[in-house]
């Protein structure tokens, strides 16, 4: 599928009552949409760190209860990965575990470090040897170096935040402490949860819901949160130093619709996007449908605002993993058909408004429009719940290079012709701040505007 891909999902837990690996397992299943290539869980035991990780989905890697039973401890760090930096090889699976002069660390990272190449060279000159091709190893190495001249691990993390430039939401475990840190721009999400005496950190609140924990708040951009002996403390010296740049695409596409970001449920942001599209790009039509999954909430919003009936347009196969098929060009149409089957009774003989979250190359969108026409749609009006993509992303997603973006190489009218739609409308860039109640929360919109915060 010609789609942006999510980055990674991170999770951390401190629970004096134990069974942390089991809880981390369930949280990672809830975060699976953020990465399907590899996953892992690390736990503390005495002053050591034990880790189990592998390639594949969480339920495939942790496919035997004994694996989780063997991961006993009072703290755990978990990770699901899709590689936006480094390749999809077992060595790059996370959490990364580091044994160094001050002890052991486990690190889970979501984001991309922009100055990886510079730091890598600098560290190589002083003898660094790397075991992975992932930028997370540079994060781990930076923290370990800074720890040598710091009085605590949180001080080392704080010093590292002055060195690392880019997007990172981190969960770090030392034998005594669980630490969450978020870059000062706050590109990627990270929230805090609590259940009884246990504390958790998670990329999205849906992970907290899945384990019956209560959402407390977001880790602030630039904040370091430390859990030690059941007490939570916050270090805020990096908070408020730069304008916040939270990835608007988390609301539009990446995050699960039942997650809360910027104090707002993602489903509501998507429904609002649909309502805005209905106001700005009306269509004479009989039915509104959404491309699963993220187009559905926007389609509901479009239908509510326009008064046009909402209907399910597709049945999506739930059982095709994202890594199941890597089709070559000739197989891609088949891949789209396998994933999405149009519901003929809702489409045949009708003028259809079809809502999707984005157009990257345009090839998948064209195939979906073709499927609808083959299912008997009289007209297909495509509405996109994001502005046109014009720039790549450097902050933890895999948005393609500019030349591969159809909106960069084609005008909107040319794109409409390419995907064979009767009309095409995008969410206006000036409308982005309306997706979250209360307006501008400080969003990154660089892939639409080229205004890169770093
Ligand atoms: Fe998100 Fe786009 Fe910014 Fe990347 S460039 S962080 S995808 S808004």
């Amino acid at each position: 599928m010609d789609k942006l891909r999510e980055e990674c999902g991170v999770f951390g837990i401190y629970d004096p009552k134990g069974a942390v690996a089991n809880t981390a397992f369930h949280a990672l299943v809830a975060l699976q949409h953020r990465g399907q290539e590899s996953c892992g869980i690390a736990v503390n035991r005495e002053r050591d760190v034990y880790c189990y990780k592998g390639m594949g989905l969480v339920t495939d890697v942790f496919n035997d209860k004994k694996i989780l039973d063997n991961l006993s401890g009072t703290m755990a760090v978990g990770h699901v990965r899709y590689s936006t930096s480094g390749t999809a090889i077992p060595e790059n699976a996370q959490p990364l575990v580091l044994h160094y002069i001050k002890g052991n660390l486990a690190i889970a990272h979501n984001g991309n470090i922009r100055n990886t190449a510079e730091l890598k060279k600098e560290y190589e000159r002083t003898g660094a040897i790397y075991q992975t091709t992932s930028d997370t190893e540079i994060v781990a190495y930076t923290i370990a170096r800074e720890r040598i001249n710091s009085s605590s691990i949180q001080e080392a993390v704080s010093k590292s935040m002055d060195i690392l430039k880019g997007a990172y939401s981190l969960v770090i475990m030392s034998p005594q402490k669980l630490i969450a840190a978020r870059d000062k721009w706050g590109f990627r999400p990270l929230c805090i949860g609590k259940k009884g005496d246990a504390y958790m950190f998670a990329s999205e609140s849906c992970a907290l819901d899945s384990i019956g924990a209560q959402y407390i708040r977001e880790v602030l951009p630039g904040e370091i949160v430390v859990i030690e002996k059941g007490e939570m403390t916050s270090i805020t010296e990096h908070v408020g130093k730069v304008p916040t740049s939270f990835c608007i695409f988390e609301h539009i596409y990446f995050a699960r619709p039942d997650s809360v970001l910027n104090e707002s449920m993602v489903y509501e942001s998507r429904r609002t996007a649909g309502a805005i599209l209905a106001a700005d790009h009306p269509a004479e039509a009989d039915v509104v449908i959404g491309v699963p999954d993220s187009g559905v909430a926007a389609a509901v919003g479009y239908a509510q605002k326009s008064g046009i009936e909402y209907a399910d347009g597709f049945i999506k196969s739930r059982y095709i993993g994202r890594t199941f098929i890597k089709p070559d060009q000739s197989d891609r149409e088949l891949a789209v058909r396998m994933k999405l089957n149009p519901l003929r009774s809702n489409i045949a003989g009708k003028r259809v408004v079809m809502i999707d979250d984005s157009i990257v190359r345009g090839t998948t969108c064209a195939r979906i429009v073709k499927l609808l026409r083959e299912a008997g749609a009289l007209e297909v009006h495509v509405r996109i719940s994001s502005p046109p993509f014009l720039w790549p992303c450097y902050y933890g997603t895999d948005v393609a290079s500019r030349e591969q973006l159809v909106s960069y190489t084609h005008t909107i009218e040319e794109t409409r012709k390419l995907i064979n739609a009767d009309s095409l409308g995008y969410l206006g860039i000036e409308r982005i701040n309306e997706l979250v109640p209360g307006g501008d929360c400080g969003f990154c919109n660089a892939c639409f505007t080229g205004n890169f915060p770093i």
Side-chain angles (χ1 to χ4, degrees):
M1 299 288 276
D2 170 29
K3 282 282 175 195
L4 272 75
R5 292 217 256 178
E6 301 89 343
E7 332 75 41
C8 295
V10 297
F11 181 76
I13 177 168
Y14 161 83
D15 186 351
K17 294 198 181 80
V20 286
N22 202 45
T23 310
F25 167 82
H26 288 101
L28 291 183
V29 170
L31 294 173
Q32 188 78 82
H33 60 288
R34 298 185 72 85
Q36 297 93 39
E37 281 182 358
S38 63
C39 61
I41 297 173
V43 296
N44 72 322
R45 204 175 301 152
E46 307 281 306
R47 297 200 65 78
D48 222 332
V49 172
Y50 291 84
C51 186
Y52 189 92
K53 54 189 177 181
M55 304 300 290
L57 302 177
V58 178
T59 47
D60 294 334
V61 172
F62 295 92
N63 57 5
D64 187 335
K65 193 171 172 299
K66 282 189 210 136
I67 300 171
L68 293 170
D69 290 345
N70 287 336
L71 290 170
S72 59
T74 53
M75 289 188 289
V77 171
H79 192 264
V80 288
R81 179 169 195 262
Y82 164 68
S83 52
T84 54
S85 152
T87 42
I89 52 174
E91 292 76 17
N92 285 345
Q94 294 188 35
L96 283 189
V97 175
L98 201 75
H99 308 285
Y100 72 121
I101 194 165
K102 292 281 187 177
N104 305 297
L105 289 178
I107 297 188
H109 169 216
N110 173 203
N112 266 166
I113 304 300
R114 296 295 305 135
N115 57 339
T116 295
E118 285 163 59
L119 292 173
K120 201 169 179 184
K121 273 204 187 109
E122 184 188 326
Y123 299 160
E124 272 168 350
R125 278 196 287 270
T126 54
I129 298 168
Y130 302 105
Q131 294 175 14
T132 76
T133 57
S134 144
D135 59 349
T136 306
E137 194 167 9
I138 299 300
V139 175
Y141 207 92
T142 304
I143 294 170
R145 269 171 68 114
E146 294 306 314
R147 176 70 181 93
I148 291 164
N149 294 314
S150 302
S151 59
S152 66
I153 181 71
Q154 54 267 42
E155 188 185 326
V157 173
S158 180
K159 286 178 182 170
S160 300
M161 288 171 78
D162 291 325
I163 298 168
L164 301 167
K165 302 216 168 3
Y168 52 86
S169 282
L170 299 170
V171 181
I172 302 161
M173 182 178 70
S174 72
Q176 306 292 334
K177 295 172 194 168
L178 187 71
I179 297 173
R182 203 169 163 203
D183 66 77
K184 55 191 170 185
W185 294 269
F187 286 104
R188 309 260 70 95
L190 192 59
C191 64
I192 309 170
K194 195 160 188 330
K195 185 181 181 185
D197 294 333
Y199 281 97
M200 300 95 183
F201 301 117
S203 290
E204 291 181 36
S205 63
C206 66
L208 304 176
D209 295 337
S210 75
I211 54 175
Q214 189 194 349
Y215 168 86
I216 304 291
R217 65 173 176 88
E218 295 188 18
V219 176
L220 299 172
E223 186 182 11
I224 300 168
V225 181
V226 184
I227 310 290
E228 184 179 15
K229 295 185 182 132
E231 295 295 319
M232 185 170 93
T233 52
S234 164
I235 300 165
T236 55
E237 64 190 76
H238 297 280
V239 175
K241 299 288 184 213
V242 296
T244 303
S245 293
F246 183 70
C247 173
I248 188 64
F249 235 83
E250 294 281 352
H251 280 280
I252 293 169
Y253 172 62
F254 294 137
R256 243 173 65 163
D258 51 339
S259 285
V260 172
L261 302 172
N262 309 100
E263 313 297 328
S264 169
M265 189 157 272
V266 171
Y267 183 90
E268 293 306 323
S269 306
R270 291 178 189 166
R271 197 159 64 155
T272 301
I276 294 171
L277 280 171
D280 294 356
H281 299 285
E284 292 280 321
D286 305 307
V287 69
V288 184
I289 64 169
V291 178
D293 294 312
S294 44
V296 171
V300 170
Y302 194 103
Q304 286 170 339
K305 180 76 179 178
S306 65
I308 302 169
E309 181 196 356
Y310 167 82
D312 292 333
F314 302 94
I315 296 301
K316 182 179 173 185
S317 173
R318 305 274 158 199
Y319 304 104
I320 301 177
R322 294 186 186 206
T323 50
F324 157 72
I325 192 164
K326 301 260 186 204
D328 62 26
Q329 197 62 31
S330 60
D331 287 339
R332 285 208 178 135
E333 192 162 328
L334 187 63
V336 173
R337 279 180 190 280
M338 284 178 73
K339 274 209 157 177
L340 297 176
N341 199 20
L343 262 174
R344 270 171 202 277
S345 59
N346 284 345
I347 290 161
K350 294 187 177 160
R351 298 167 299 169
V352 176
V353 175
M354 182 195 95
I355 317 256
D356 203 353
D357 51 75
S358 55
I359 299 182
V360 183
R361 294 177 182 82
T363 45
T364 297
C365 191
R367 287 186 185 109
I368 296 173
V369 172
K370 187 169 171 236
L371 286 181
L372 292 176
R373 292 197 187 280
E374 286 170 0
L378 297 179
E379 295 173 10
V380 182
H381 301 274
V382 175
R383 300 291 179 267
I384 303 297
S385 57
S386 65
F389 270 130
L390 295 169
W391 298 83
C393 170
Y394 303 107
Y395 310 128
T397 78
D398 74 337
V399 175
S401 71
R402 271 196 110 176
E403 288 63 35
Q404 292 173 304
L405 299 172
V406 72
S407 301
Y408 176 64
T409 54
H410 294 68
T411 64
I412 292 178
E413 176 56 13
E414 286 167 347
T415 306
R416 182 195 68 74
K417 284 186 185 153
L418 190 83
I419 63 173
N420 192 26
D422 292 280
S423 68
L424 172 63
Y426 291 85
L427 189 80
I429 184 71
E430 72 287 354
R431 298 284 233 157
I432 265 183
N433 292 337
E434 296 170 44
L435 299 191
V436 174
D440 190 356
C441 297
F443 290 123
C444 174
N445 58 23
C447 50
F448 313 125
T449 60
N451 296 329
F452 290 98
I454 309 177

